[in-house]
Amino acid sequence: FIDNARLYREIREADRHKGEFLAMLAHELRNPLAPILNSLHVLQGDDDDAVTEARAVADRQVRHLARLVDDLLDVSRISSGKIQLRKERVDLHAAVTRAIEGARPLIEARNHSLTVSLPDEPVVLEADEARLVQVLANLLNNAAKYTEPGGSIELQAAVESDSIMLRVRDNGIGVTPELLPRVFDLFTQADRSLDRSQGGLGIGLTLVRRLVEMHGGSVAASSAGAGQGSEFTIRLPIGSPELYSKPAEPPVTRAPSEPIKRRPKRVLVVDDSIDGARILSRMLQANGHSVSVAHDGPVALELAREHTPEVVFLDIGLPGMNGYQVAEHLRCMEGMGDALLVALTGYGQESDRRRAEEAGFDLHMTKPVDPDVILRLLADHEAVLAQAMRHS
């Protein structure tokens, strides 16, 4: 009994260390991705075809690497029971549209044709929209990855009794009979060749199965064999009649007398990554904003006293004084009570988001963040700040 108890404690301790390692690995991988993505945005002015193509390739690969990091962390979180669904009223058509947008870069890069067939009538699910989009995007990306360039992909949805059936079908490399029973197992991949031309970690379908099952659904795979294409079928329960009759929450709109002011902002960027801070600053300045840059907490506080920034992009993993401590000090400064504090960080776990909120941040954004998202945030600064204050 004592030996078993000791072994159980050792296993739990090893699992804790694994989770900490994966979180740190994600942070270290995300940090260099952010300046690369922002650099690509700065280079958009060049019209040379070769430069445009190179920029598009680099952009796709950066986003692909970011998805791999997220998938790796998600598998670890689900295995340890740390993921909780945030279910709400979700429109199927909207979720499918978002998933297609997420998978479109890879589909277009491989010159696939995509056919989508959805029910004419609205379909409402009680689901975590972000996770549902993740499931569908993973299946679409998987189909694109394992289908030769110029192939075809179909996404179909149909109501069957009290369920919605979603099918993603392709005419790609297919699945052998030996692999089919294990296709949803962790680290299982169809291609074991040395060139690793399809890439991936073998965790995308594992995530699909576990997230679907957390929604009370099921997923199955079928294939006629190698070279015969594949089909993945998801069955999800449809929302109750009460869910259909529940009115959607009206969107938050401003009164006509309160137009959103799209004016230049005073911005403070705080990041110990010199490359990351420099390229973000250059991108913001190119869009008309006044930017100050600091690489540690004390300098950030000094610049905040001098310039009273309206928006602060603040990294968490700073030397000496961390980002949480800097945020707490900023909130106590005169004139900083209404500033928009954004945690721009490689730490993306739920515990990191909670701690950021407790420290006084308005938003928590995990690197790499799409440059267009950052620029829209600044353009809609007042609206974003008002929404953050309502939720605080």
Side-chain angles (χ1 to χ4, degrees), residues 232-379:
F232 291 85
T233 304
I234 295 174
R235 180 188 294 271
L236 289 170
I238 291 180
S240 63
E242 293 79 10
L243 198 64
Y244 273 85
S245 60
K246 179 183 176 182
E249 294 185 6
V252 178
T253 56
R254 288 175 168 268
S257 59
E258 296 182 278
I260 295 176
K261 300 176 182 178
R262 301 179 183 274
R263 57 175 178 77
K265 308 296 189 306
R266 297 187 305 277
V267 182
L268 174 61
V269 173
V270 188
D271 197 327
D272 62 331
S273 168
I274 295 176
D275 285 343
R278 181 180 298 165
I279 197 64
L280 177 58
S281 171
R282 180 171 296 182
M283 183 184 77
L284 297 179
Q285 288 173 340
N287 282 269
H289 301 290
S290 173
V291 185
S292 303
V293 176
H295 301 301
D296 59 48
V299 174
L301 296 178
E302 182 179 342
L303 289 175
R305 293 188 190 95
E306 293 177 8
H307 302 290
T308 316
E310 299 166 273
V311 181
V312 180
F313 291 109
L314 177 56
D315 189 23
I316 299 298
L318 299 173
M321 178 184 290
N322 65 43
Y324 301 123
Q325 295 168 323
V326 175
E328 290 170 351
H329 280 78
L330 288 174
R331 282 303 185 207
C332 295
M333 281 188 184
E334 184 178 355
M336 290 297 295
D338 292 334
L340 182 67
L341 264 59
V342 182
L344 200 60
T345 173
Y347 293 109
Q349 299 195 76
E350 191 60 34
S351 57
D352 301 319
R353 297 178 184 277
R354 288 197 300 269
R355 190 173 176 187
E357 185 177 354
E358 292 167 359
F361 282 100
D362 298 300
L363 295 173
H364 182 285
M365 306 178 81
T366 305
K367 295 177 181 176
V369 180
D370 189 319
D372 289 332
V373 171
I374 293 177
L375 295 177
R376 281 199 300 270
L377 186 151
L378 286 171

